[in-house]
Amino acid sequence: MWIFWLGSILILLLLIVLFVILNSKIKFRLKAKKENRDELIQLDVTLLFGLVSLHYEIPAMGFADLKQGLWVESDRSDNFTAGPSAAGENSINKDKVKHWMQQLREMVTATEGFKKWLINTLQRISFVQFDWSTNVALRDAAHTATLTGALWAVKSTIVGWLSYHIKLRRRPKLFVVPLFGTSPTFSTELVCMAEISFGYAVYAGLILIYRVLKVKGGLKIWRRLLTGSKPQ
């Protein structure tokens, strides 16, 4: 009899732990900052109550030339692998962008209803913070005012798109500050935090796999794209 009760208690504890895990949040924090020629991009992802975390950082980037495009320094670290953080420098040029677009098209064609799946997943993401401030100054005051209006339009358009596809739990804080009587200046800082239920993320992953399996050769295409192998 005691074995029965012990087993029941263990099963109950297991169900409670599973329920807590599935109701936990995957949290994303993005910070992007640029001031004249200096820039910084940081992305932090935490899940399972902080037991697993991933940090990705771009401390510097710049334009090399028309052929090489942008050069980007990156650094990645996490707390769930024993190895050291990975750092390196990559270039982003026209050919690489075309390659990424081609990969995206292959993913879409290899997944039944990919757009519908993506929209449904985005609607489950909640923004808990969205702060975006910009200071700008040009030599001419009229040009500064014109650029200020254009930046307001760009920010409003982006926030409008986000509010249509993603839940905004807090009103975004947007600032565009024109600076008059100073040397040409441009600085901007974006801080946003978003989260999604761990349980729904698992569900969305399973639905994605199901949609991929419904397309002939879809799983093979995704495996090739994720591993970076060449098509046969």
Side-chain angles (χ1 to χ4, degrees):
M1 179 64 69
W2 65 270
I3 297 179
F4 170 78
W5 286 109
L6 179 61
S8 300
I9 293 174
L10 290 177
I11 293 175
L12 179 60
L13 290 175
L14 180 62
L15 291 176
I16 293 174
V17 171
L18 183 62
F19 176 80
V20 171
I21 291 176
L22 293 178
N23 280 274
S24 64
K25 302 292 184 182
I26 302 177
K27 298 183 178 181
F28 307 86
R29 184 181 187 274
L30 173 66
K31 180 180 181 180
K33 183 178 181 180
K34 180 172 180 60
E35 186 171 358
N36 294 327
R37 295 185 177 181
D38 298 326
E39 55 277 316
L40 175 67
I41 301 175
Q42 294 177 331
L43 174 63
D44 292 283
V45 182
T46 59
L47 60 151
L48 299 179
F49 306 101
L51 296 177
V52 178
S53 65
L54 172 66
H55 176 79
Y56 187 80
E57 181 173 327
I58 298 178
M61 60 188 300
F63 182 75
D65 52 47
L66 292 177
K67 184 178 181 180
Q68 296 182 1
L70 293 173
W71 58 267
V72 178
E73 292 183 4
S74 61
D75 182 30
R76 183 186 66 82
S77 61
D78 57 65
N79 68 345
F80 56 91
T81 58
S85 61
E89 181 175 319
N90 300 300
S91 61
I92 302 176
N93 52 29
K94 182 175 65 175
D95 293 335
K96 185 165 290 187
V97 172
K98 286 183 177 180
H99 177 66
W100 289 342
M101 294 301 295
Q102 176 62 28
Q103 286 186 319
L104 178 60
R105 285 192 290 267
E106 290 187 61
M107 286 182 176
V108 172
T109 56
T111 309
E112 183 179 275
F114 180 84
K115 184 178 180 181
K116 181 180 179 181
W117 172 86
L118 180 61
I119 292 175
N120 291 338
T121 304
L122 287 176
Q123 290 176 345
R124 292 288 184 151
I125 299 176
S126 299
F127 269 84
V128 296
Q129 180 182 3
F130 192 92
D131 301 340
W132 191 1
S133 61
T134 303
N135 297 336
V136 62
L138 297 177
R139 296 186 184 278
D140 186 271
H143 293 166
T144 300
T146 301
L147 181 57
T148 300
L151 290 173
W152 270 117
V154 171
K155 290 187 177 186
S156 299
T157 301
I158 294 175
V159 172
W161 184 90
L162 287 175
S163 62
Y164 182 77
H165 293 283
I166 301 174
K167 297 178 182 178
L168 299 177
R169 288 167 50 183
R170 199 183 76 177
R171 186 180 181 88
K173 295 181 179 179
L174 305 178
F175 302 96
V176 180
V177 181
L179 305 176
F180 299 102
T182 64
S183 58
T185 302
F186 179 82
S187 63
T188 186
E189 182 173 357
L190 170 67
V191 178
C192 62
M193 296 179 62
E195 61 185 27
I196 185 173
S197 167
F198 183 84
Y200 189 84
V202 173
Y203 170 77
L206 295 175
I207 293 298
L208 178 62
I209 294 174
Y210 171 74
R211 291 180 177 275
V212 170
L213 292 175
K214 293 187 68 175
V215 177
K216 185 178 180 180
L219 185 61
K220 183 178 180 180
I221 294 174
W222 271 83
R223 186 186 297 115
R224 172 173 58 81
L225 294 175
L226 294 176
T227 57
S229 59
K230 295 182 179 180
Q232 298 179 354

